[in-house]
Amino acid sequence: MSTATINTRIDSNLKHQAEAIFSEIGLSTSQAIRLFYRQTVQSGGLPFQPDYNLPRETLEAIRESEEGKLTEITMDGLRAMFHADD
């Protein structure tokens, strides 16, 4: 098995808080990240429901997308929507 290195920037306060939790449950940061990746692959998506702090309309659009209820629109249709009052 070959390995890869991941480099990312994260708020230092968040990093310390997460590492304290990992330590409490006996995981290193690397082990926790590997676990997250495995669970993501196994579930075919995020292994948890994100707690979005987004506007209601955005959350509804996400839910519709997950349920396959989105309507396709062409660029011409989009332009027509924006210029409907012209």
Side-chain angles (χ1 to χ4, degrees):
M1 172 181 77
S2 64
T3 61
T5 301
I6 299 170
N7 292 310
T8 186
R9 294 191 185 278
I10 190 165
D11 178 88
S12 62
N13 204 19
L14 176 62
K15 177 182 179 285
H16 293 301
Q17 289 174 0
E19 287 174 342
I21 294 169
F22 300 153
S23 179
E24 285 178 22
I25 59 176
L27 292 174
S28 68
T29 301
S30 293
Q31 291 169 322
I33 292 170
R34 279 192 295 274
L35 179 61
F36 172 75
Y37 271 58
R38 285 188 185 118
Q39 290 294 307
T40 299
V41 170
Q42 184 177 3
S43 66
L46 289 177
F48 54 85
Q49 181 64 38
D51 182 17
Y52 296 111
N53 187 16
L54 299 171
R56 182 183 51 79
E57 294 85 2
T58 304
L59 293 174
E60 287 174 8
I62 291 169
R63 186 175 53 255
E64 288 176 3
S65 170
E66 291 170 345
E67 295 171 358
K69 295 181 180 178
L70 291 182
T71 304
E72 274 191 42
I73 188 166
T74 64
M75 284 303 295
D76 288 337
L78 188 58
R79 285 185 193 102
M81 285 174 51
F82 281 104
H83 298 291
D85 295 332
D86 292 348

